[in-house]
């Protein structure tokens, strides 16, 4: 692929493409950004004030060389984001694809602010280690980009002013990752615990990673009743999602199969708990079912779901990590609790 710079000069190799020299330890991650907006027009402004407008008539692909900061503005819906490193842009299937080649530590700071905010320093540092570990495990050198900026990967709103302010607090964790067997772990996390942390096997099946096991929460964490939720959904709508015959009213029963939680749709089939939740969320709105810990009970023409927590419930739960930090736990202690059997080390010396 022959790239054009935003000055429209043809470039031949990566050294010429970057424009700004990076230190040897400035690892880069390739993140597709702004995809949720399906942009057809944007303006990209470099720090010195040079502005480029991209739309359907632009000549692609384009690489914007590494800069201390880019301001990217989408006129519709009026969204502005800031990015460091370099940017790649091309047109695909009626929209602009924008990829940020982000310095790893800037990316980590952006994820921490977007996922957790700027709360207690020890919780923030725990989130930084997780974000860095996840990024390095899922980094793919050969692809156009390694991952996106939405919640199905890690939420990343760019290197915002808040992320820039967070860099100092995160310096204590610079380069740190969690490993198991010498490799970065699959550092999944979620927003809020139920009555406990669930194992990967319970939620997704298979053997499950050894370090993503069920965890009992310390007594200092608030009772799970405070994390309860209830949803009343039209039974006919739910039945249709799981392919019930017209007029048929299946029975829904929570159960296990080979250690995995799921829902028996009787008569019919068994569906893994996470797939069941996401099927409903995709059809009826995200977070209709807030977590994978719930019961189902019929109520007239409705089904009533009662549950606890928020998210898939595997790995670190962010709300409870903050609670532990406020109780005096260090980020190292928080990580040991939620990822038992892992080691904290450097990304360069695992």
């Amino acid at each position: 692929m022959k790239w054009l710079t935003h000055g429209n000069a043809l470039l031949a190799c990566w050294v010429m493409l970057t424009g700004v020299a990076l230190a040897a330890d400035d690892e880069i991650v390739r993140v597709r950004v702004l995809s949720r907006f399906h942009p057809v027009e944007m303006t990209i402004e470099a720090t010195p004030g040079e502005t480029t407008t991209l739309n359907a008539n632009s000549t692609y692909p384009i690489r914007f060389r590494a800069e201390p900061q880019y301001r990217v503005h989408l006129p519709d819906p009026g969204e502005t984001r800031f990015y460091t490193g370099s940017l790649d842009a091309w047109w695909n299937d009626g929209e602009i694809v924008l990829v940020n080649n982000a310095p790893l530590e800037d990316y980590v700071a952006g994820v921490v602010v977007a996922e957790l905010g700027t709360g207690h320093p020890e919780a923030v540092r725990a989130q930084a280690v997780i974000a860095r570990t996840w990024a390095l495990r899922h980094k793919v050198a050969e692809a156009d980009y390694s991952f996106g900026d939405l919640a199905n990967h890690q939420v990343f709103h760019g290197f915002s002013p808040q992320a820039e302010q967070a860099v100092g607090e995160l310096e204590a964790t610079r380069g740190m990752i969690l490993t198991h067997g010498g490799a970065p772990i699959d550092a999944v996390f979620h927003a809020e615990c139920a009555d406990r942390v669930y194992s990967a096997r319970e939620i997704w099946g298979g053997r499950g990673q050894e370090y993503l096991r069920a965890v009992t929460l310390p007594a200092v964490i608030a009772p799970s009743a405070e994390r309860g939720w209830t949803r009343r959904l039209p039974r006919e709508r739910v039945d249709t999602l799981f392919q019930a015959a017209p007029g048929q009213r299946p029975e829904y029963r929570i159960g296990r199969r080979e250690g995995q939680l799921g829902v028996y749709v009787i008569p019919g089939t068994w569906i893994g708990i996470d797939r069941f939740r996401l099927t409903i969320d995709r059809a009826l709105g995200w977070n209709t079912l807030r977590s994978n810990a719930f019961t189902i009970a019929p109520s007239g023409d409705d089904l009533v779901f009662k549950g606890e927590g928020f998210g898939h419930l595997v790995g670190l739960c962010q709300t409870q990590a903050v609670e532990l930090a406020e109780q005096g736990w260090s980020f190292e202690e928080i990580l040991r609790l939620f990822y038992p059997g892992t080691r904290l080390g450097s990304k360069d010396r695992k």
Side-chain angles (χ1 to χ4, degrees):
M1 181 181 287
K2 292 185 177 180
W3 294 92
L4 302 176
T5 67
H6 60 291
N8 290 330
L10 287 171
L11 296 179
C13 67
W14 169 252
V15 174
M16 296 173 68
L17 289 171
T18 57
V20 175
L22 297 171
D25 61 350
D26 280 343
E27 190 152 1
I28 298 296
V29 291
R30 293 175 54 75
V31 190
R32 181 177 179 180
V33 297
L34 301 170
S35 61
R36 64 169 294 199
F37 300 107
H38 305 286
V40 296
E41 183 177 351
M42 65 178 64
T43 59
I44 299 179
E45 180 182 357
T47 302
E50 182 181 357
T51 301
T52 302
T53 298
L54 301 183
N55 54 40
N57 298 319
S58 300
T59 302
Y60 298 100
I62 303 173
R63 170 158 290 171
F64 295 80
R65 65 180 179 270
E67 291 279 1
Q69 185 181 85
Y70 279 103
R71 177 184 180 274
V72 179
H73 178 71
L74 305 181
D76 183 15
E79 184 77 16
T80 299
R81 300 272 174 90
F82 298 90
Y83 300 99
T84 57
S86 64
L87 299 171
D88 294 337
W90 63 90
W91 187 265
N92 183 62
D93 199 21
E95 65 182 82
I96 300 168
V97 176
L98 187 67
V99 173
N100 180 203
N101 305 292
L104 176 60
E105 297 303 322
D106 289 357
Y107 170 75
V108 168
V111 169
V112 168
V113 168
E115 286 280 5
L116 189 65
T118 54
H120 195 287
E122 293 304 304
V124 165
R125 289 166 185 154
Q127 184 73 57
V129 174
I130 295 169
R132 186 180 299 107
T133 304
W134 189 95
L136 293 179
R137 181 182 176 96
H138 293 276
K139 183 177 177 181
V140 181
E142 298 80 11
D144 289 333
Y145 54 89
S146 293
F147 35 80
D149 64 351
L150 302 179
N152 59 328
H153 295 142
Q154 297 190 113
V155 179
F156 175 60
H157 293 162
F159 194 61
S160 64
Q162 293 79 12
E164 189 171 4
Q165 293 169 9
V167 167
E169 282 189 353
L170 302 183
E171 186 61 31
T173 75
R174 186 178 184 86
M176 286 186 182
I177 62 172
L178 283 176
T179 67
H180 187 267
I185 71 167
D186 192 9
V188 297
F189 57 92
H190 59 282
E192 189 172 61
C193 287
D195 62 335
R196 62 182 175 89
V197 175
Y198 285 65
S199 70
R201 184 180 183 186
E202 289 177 290
I203 300 302
W204 297 306
R207 296 180 61 185
Q209 293 93 331
E210 180 183 342
Y211 51 82
L212 294 178
R213 66 184 75 159
V215 174
T216 301
L217 300 174
V220 294
I221 290 180
S224 61
E226 299 182 12
R227 301 187 286 278
W229 52 266
T230 301
R231 295 287 187 272
R232 178 180 287 268
L233 304 179
R235 180 165 190 156
E236 183 179 358
R237 186 74 175 94
V238 176
D239 291 347
T240 301
L241 291 175
F242 298 103
Q243 301 179 340
Q248 184 185 67
R249 282 200 162 186
E251 178 185 353
Y252 296 90
R253 186 180 301 167
I254 305 294
R256 291 177 182 260
R257 177 178 289 183
E258 297 179 353
Q260 183 182 3
L261 284 166
V263 179
Y264 288 93
V265 183
I266 306 168
T269 188
W270 180 91
I271 302 168
I273 198 76
D274 200 51
R275 181 184 161 202
F276 184 91
R277 173 177 67 95
L278 294 177
T279 298
I280 289 180
D281 281 1
R282 290 189 183 101
L284 303 182
W286 291 111
N287 302 324
T288 296
L289 300 186
R290 288 175 57 85
S291 79
N292 285 322
F294 56 82
T295 61
I296 310 172
S299 178
D301 291 331
D302 296 332
L303 290 171
V304 177
F305 294 79
K306 290 187 177 181
E308 296 178 346
F310 191 5
H312 51 63
L313 305 179
V314 181
L316 178 142
C317 33
Q318 295 167 312
T319 299
Q320 284 61 51
V322 172
E323 287 187 48
L324 292 172
E326 291 171 346
Q327 294 288 337
W329 287 47
S330 68
F331 77 89
E332 296 98 332
E333 290 171 323
I334 293 170
L335 293 172
R336 281 197 296 270
L337 171 68
F338 289 110
Y339 305 99
T342 61
R343 297 185 62 183
L344 187 63
S346 165
K347 67 182 180 66
D348 299 315
R349 294 184 299 277
K350 304 177 181 66

